[in-house]
Amino acid sequence: MHSPHSLQDTFVSKLFPNPPQTNLPLEIIELVIDEVDPSYLLKLSLVSKAALRRSRVRLFSSLSFIKDDGTRWIHETLPKEGTVDHQLDCFLDLLQSPHNTIATSIKNLHLHYLFNSKCYEYGPRDEMHLVATKLSQLACLRLSSLNWNNIPRHILEWIQALPATELQIESTNFQTLGFIKLLQSSLITHASLKLSFCGIRIKDEKNTKNLTSHSHIFAQKYQFSALDITSLLLFRDVWDYAMTTGAHIMVHKLFLHLKTTGSPYTDYIPALPFLNATLCRIGPCLESLCLALGDHEAERGLYRKLDLSRCTALEAIHVGVIILGQQEADMEKVWDHLNRLTPSLIESVGFILHASMISSAEYPKFLFEFPWKDTIHQLTCLFPLLKRVKFTIGYFHPAHGKELPIHLEAIKSDIHTLKTSVKVIFKADTETNFHLGFRFPWRLCYF
């Protein structure tokens, strides 16, 4: 009796009596795979065993399940098979299948604005902690715009057991108990895990946000790649305890965004002693600082009360959003911030500019009126080790985007007349808009 494999080999040999051979080195095959369009890569992986493994790495190394915030009401009306929630459910089916072959190729996984639809119900699953182990090469898990309390229990079990070495959580709402369970999970307690917490909020019905009864959780090593001011304030009740008990807490990038108007409103004045004590403790390990410009004089006053004197290891500064058309007032705020920093190690400065709601006719005028050369000159005087200045420029109207590359070339030519060794970079970015700059400052210079 022939085995299924031998019958299959016989069938293939009859169809393809002289299979094509290649003597190309593996390095050449990999270069081709890195450059070819993904739609062709799918076909290539089906016909070439030599290309199969590398193709899977290219095709599946980064998976994103993203439900667009701006079109969420449209998604609610789609059939179940058309929702991103359904796609994630199918992905979990695939991971549980014994025929799954892509799990070890996945290195980055992003879940955005899921679990909010009442139209879709995830199927029940068992032993999801074992399913999580199949993603053995997962490096980064990014969770954004989620309501933690809406995530089905079995998917929470899967998320909290994933073997990621970096966890990014952005714009996510928790209840106190859910946040504590996350901090206690194997995902967080991973010895070498790098954390990024930005825009995390605890919203309990009874407003029970105090974490002091769980202070023991913080008697371990925490390494934050990025942390914003909103998330930092969650630890206000336990941070002092953690520091005084010898817990090792490091922050490499901090986003300062002291917004005193709008919703949700945060009263930062009572928190200033805590913020300054924290800056004193984490300042020596801070490598990067993102400063969001305030709209009001009260916000500028708050920034002046922050003690940045211990931030002596800073290598990079990001500032935004500077609004074209009001750049004179905004640049005054910028220099107010930068002059208070210790300049010794700063090598990189980034600015985020935006056109706001100006007409197409006014756009070139405000763009060319920006003090590009003067800004670079002042920066080189202020920071002796400066190597790079980056301008990320957003636009409001599609017409701006079409004209922007032409205008930037003219600006670059003018900047070249400066006798400086500083590298000046320009980047056009449709995501850098007025609302993102104030609601999600970390998106502008991190994710």
Side-chain angles (χ1 to χ4, degrees), residues 109-126:
L109 181 63
H110 181 193
L111 308 182
H112 175 80
Y113 203 76
L114 300 179
F115 318 113
N116 292 306
S117 173
K118 295 179 180 178
C119 301
Y120 189 83
E121 184 176 347
Y122 283 82
R125 301 176 189 277
D126 297 321

Side-chain angles (χ1 to χ4, degrees), residues 92 95-96 100 103-106 127-138 157-164 186:
L92 295 175
L95 288 182
Q96 288 188 301
N100 160 50
T104 55
S105 299
I106 300 170
E127 298 185 327
M128 292 299 286
H129 61 287
L130 297 178
V131 178
T133 61
K134 294 186 178 182
L135 298 175
S136 58
Q137 301 302 310
L138 185 64
E157 179 189 350
W158 173 67
I159 289 174
Q160 294 179 164
L162 287 169
S186 60

Side-chain angles (χ1 to χ4, degrees), residues 320-340:
V321 174
I322 300 163
I323 306 299
L324 293 175
Q326 62 180 52
Q327 58 255 40
E328 185 175 344
D330 283 350
M331 288 307 294
E332 182 184 342
K333 300 175 190 176
V334 168
W335 297 119
D336 191 27
H337 287 317
L338 296 183
N339 282 315
R340 296 173 54 239

Side-chain angles (χ1 to χ4, degrees), residues 25 27 33 54 57 70-71 78 109 159 206 209-210 215 224 238 291 298 332 335 345 360 394 397 399 410 433 445:
E27 291 81 1
I33 290 170
R54 181 69 178 180
V57 171
T71 58
L78 291 173
L109 181 63
I159 289 174
K206 297 181 180 180
K209 300 180 182 180
N210 196 306
S215 296
F224 289 96
V238 294
L291 297 164
E332 182 184 342
W335 297 119
L345 297 178
S360 297
H397 194 278
N433 59 55
C445 51

Side-chain angles (χ1 to χ4, degrees), residues 232-246:
L232 172 61
L233 289 176
L234 293 180
F235 303 107
R236 184 176 176 182
D237 300 317
V238 294
W239 202 272
D240 284 334
Y241 170 86
M243 293 290 190
T244 54
T245 54

